[in-house]
Amino acid sequence: EEFLRIYWDTYPLLVLFISIPFYINSFLIFANLFACAVVDPGGVSREWSQANVSRVKFASQKERLEFLREHRGENLETLYPADKLNSPNQIFKYCYICKLVKPERAHHCQQCNRCILKMDHHCPWVGNCVGFGNHKLFLLFCIHASLGCLMDAFLLFPRSLHVLQTTGLFGKDTDLTCVIGCVCGFFVGASIGFLAIVHGYHILINLTTVEMHITDTKKNPFARPKACDHWKMAVGPEVLSWFFPIAPLKMQVDAHNFPKKQEMVLQD
């Protein structure tokens, strides 16, 4: 009761203090959602594919023969002799749907029907793939959506508590709207917040959701010594741009050619 008395006494000030951040956060939710939906996550360049057609890696001779049939006029038989399936220089996979050579971190999305650079996953909520070009926007959307739901739960909590104390949960005049809104806001906000933490962690270790299922995190070939380097590779080096619903600026890496550990050693 004392808590409710203090709450109602300070309600006008509390509303003023919370409502402004709440509306700003609400704008950022929809702005990041829209940006994540319309910004291109990154597709494989046809020019890059043609330049690396001699570096395709095959899982079997059957796959090799199918590839050679598709590129019959390019005289690739000398690059892919029948007695040697792969060479150390042949590291890329070939997408038989897109007819393109895929960079190491690219994957084909069946929903978008194309290969996505550094593909994380296809998100039905934004209607787009989350990849190299918009992973930062998806992370911001999750952060602001989580904050919005938790702020909603915080605003509704005193009113819900008052309803439960005066009429009970199943009373005749009980207003369950605010109670349900408070509970849903808390659990939805916590769930989306957990998703944001997971994606933030993936960015910091430089692995995608797809790669987390197929790569040993201790043997990540794309790992760098500092987590901040991974962060800047995903969201860009410009600190001010991190907080706005815009695509990353001045990306430090080419999504077609992510440097590996041994390549970093040679560069140093």
Side-chain angles (χ1 to χ4, degrees):
E1 293 182 2
E2 182 65 18
F3 168 77
L4 290 175
R5 185 188 66 79
I6 295 174
Y7 172 78
W8 291 119
D9 289 344
T10 59
Y11 183 77
L13 183 63
L14 182 65
V15 169
L16 180 64
F17 180 74
I18 293 294
S19 61
I20 296 176
F22 180 81
Y23 287 121
I24 294 174
N25 187 76
S26 298
F27 167 77
L28 291 172
I29 291 174
F30 291 104
N32 282 289
L33 174 63
F34 177 77
C36 188
V38 300
V39 169
D40 186 6
V44 177
S45 165
R46 191 162 296 276
E47 291 75 16
W48 182 92
S49 174
Q50 292 173 349
N52 288 274
V53 73
S54 63
R55 302 184 65 190
V56 176
K57 182 179 180 179
F58 305 108
S60 65
Q61 287 289 358
K62 180 180 178 181
E63 191 175 290
R64 169 188 166 276
L65 291 174
E66 183 178 352
F67 174 80
L68 290 176
R69 278 196 298 269
E70 289 193 1
H71 295 79
R72 189 171 300 171
E74 300 182 30
N75 299 320
L76 296 176
E77 286 79 0
T78 56
L79 294 173
Y80 300 106
D83 59 338
K84 190 175 183 180
L85 190 60
N86 295 304
S87 69
N89 190 47
Q90 293 165 351
I91 58 175
F92 301 126
K93 293 183 179 180
Y94 185 75
C95 180
Y96 291 91
I97 301 175
C98 297
K99 311 298 183 186
L100 292 172
V101 180
K102 294 192 298 184
E104 290 183 282
R105 308 188 75 177
H107 300 277
H108 185 84
C109 175
Q110 294 182 347
Q111 286 79 10
C112 296
N113 195 32
R114 65 174 182 147
C115 292
I116 304 297
L117 296 171
K118 198 190 175 188
M119 177 179 171
D120 188 89
H121 68 287
H122 182 90
C123 180
W125 304 109
V126 300
N128 195 8
C129 267
V130 176
F132 180 75
N134 63 353
H135 201 171
K136 165 214 164 182
L137 296 168
F138 180 78
L139 177 63
L140 284 177
F141 165 66
C142 290
I143 292 173
H144 288 294
S146 175
L147 288 175
C149 291
L150 293 176
M151 291 170 71
D152 177 67
F154 175 77
L155 289 171
L156 290 175
F157 176 73
R159 173 64 180 170
S160 301
L161 188 62
H162 175 71
V163 168
L164 294 176
Q165 287 181 347
T166 54
T167 61
L169 184 60
F170 300 106
K172 182 179 179 181
D173 300 321
T174 299
D175 180 14
L176 288 179
T177 305
C178 61
V179 178
I180 295 173
C182 178
V183 173
C184 290
F186 174 77
F187 283 105
V188 173
S191 300
I192 301 177
F194 176 75
L195 181 63
I197 292 172
V198 169
H199 277 272
Y201 172 71
H202 287 178
I203 288 175
L204 290 175
I205 64 173
N206 196 17
L207 285 176
T208 65
T209 300
V210 173
E211 292 167 344
M212 288 291 290
H213 291 88
I214 61 177
T215 304
D216 185 352
T217 56
K218 295 181 180 179
K219 299 179 181 179
N220 179 12
F222 305 102
R224 293 193 174 189
K226 297 180 181 180
C228 62
D229 292 335
H230 296 159
W231 178 263
K232 291 178 181 178
M233 287 169 62
V235 304
E238 300 291 336
V239 178
L240 288 177
S241 70
W242 294 354
F243 307 99
F244 294 95
I246 56 176
L249 303 174
K250 300 179 182 178
M251 299 301 285
Q252 294 181 320
V253 294
D254 176 9
H256 290 85
N257 298 286
F258 279 91
K260 292 186 175 181
K261 287 183 179 178
Q262 61 268 29
E263 295 171 355
M264 297 174 202
V265 173
L266 292 174
Q267 290 174 359
D268 294 338

